[in-house]
Amino acid sequence: AQSVAQPEDQVNVAEGNPLTVKCTYSVSGNPYLFWYVQYPNRGLQFLLKYITGDNLVKGSYGFEAEFNKSQTSFHLKKPSALVSDSALYFCAVRDGNSGYALNFGKGTSLLVTP
Amino acid sequence: DAGITQSPRHKVTETGTPVTLRCHQTENHRYMYWYRQDPGHGLRLIHYSYGVKDTDKGEVSDGYSVSRSKTEDFLLTLESATSSQTSVYFCAIRGSGTENQPQHFGDGTRLSIL
């Protein structure tokens, strides 16, 4: 089965510092990976995806993610964190079955302090 | 934002009562999904639909049924609600054409079963 793991429940970063939210994957075949963000009382918003091609993927709101095949990782990054980036972040992998549904990690809560 | 409306947004009900949640889309997308979100579990797939009257089970389908009589509406029914079904429920949609399109999510229904 296709799965992802987010090893950190919470990440704390000072505003202006770079941030990294970690994700590792376990798949058979080529991985199709996604990052979503969730603000309180809202649905998930799509940030970026990796399908194939460049290992550095750029997405919305200044976020990017680095795909590393040898480490089976897909970490989310941003060079300079904002307080408004504080939210819940989910990594997901496309399931080859189930209508190409997504299998999600447990989520990582990002707190950016002023 | 993708045109997805979930109703109701909040509901409190009692164990043993039937509950129906509605997902309405204005995008004419083929694929629709129901997920539940629980702390420590991320989002898990309940059921999905790949067209009118075409539905199938996901990872956590026990105790749930779905129906899709029109492209725009996907209903999730709890025939006899239990306290373990207290959760936040999200509907998602995805266009066809390429299976690598990201899913877009509604704002969720917070369901409490007492």
Side-chain angles (χ1 to χ4, degrees), chain B residues 36 45-47 57-65 76-80 82 84-85 89:
Chain B
R36 59 177 288 174
L45 182 68
I46 305 172
H47 281 278
K57 297 178 179 180
E59 176 189 359
V60 291
S61 60
D62 287 348
Y64 302 95
S65 62
L76 177 70
T77 297
L78 292 65
E79 300 289 350
S80 178
T82 68
S84 65
Q85 294 174 310
Y89 291 85

Side-chain angles (χ1 to χ4, degrees), chain A:
Chain A
Q2 320 288 71
S3 66
V4 292
Q6 295 180 242
E8 302 158 317
D9 291 336
Q10 182 160 329
V11 171
N12 297 319
V13 176
E15 187 175 30
N17 284 357
L19 69 86
T20 298
V21 182
K22 296 180 180 178
C23 174
T24 59
Y25 64 88
S26 175
V27 303
S28 55
N30 294 322
Y32 297 91
L33 298 162
F34 301 79
W35 275 103
Y36 284 82
V37 60
Q38 184 182 33
Y39 297 100
N41 300 314
R42 297 298 305 275
L44 278 69
Q45 296 179 27
F46 169 71
L47 283 177
L48 50 82
K49 65 179 179 181
Y50 173 83
I51 304 301
T52 187
D54 291 340
N55 290 339
L56 186 64
V57 179
K58 294 190 180 298
S60 304
Y61 313 121
F63 284 93
E64 57 190 27
E66 185 174 9
F67 174 74
N68 188 315
K69 187 173 183 178
S70 63
Q71 297 185 4
T72 62
S73 66
F74 187 56
H75 299 334
L76 182 71
K77 300 183 178 185
K78 189 174 183 182
S80 179
L82 300 173
V83 172
S84 57
D85 292 330
S86 299
L88 189 57
Y89 290 80
F90 289 98
C91 180
V93 62
R94 193 195 77 182
D95 193 329
N97 302 310
S98 303
Y100 299 114
L102 296 175
N103 294 329
F104 286 87
K106 295 180 180 180
T108 298
S109 178
L110 173 67
L111 178 62
V112 182
T113 53

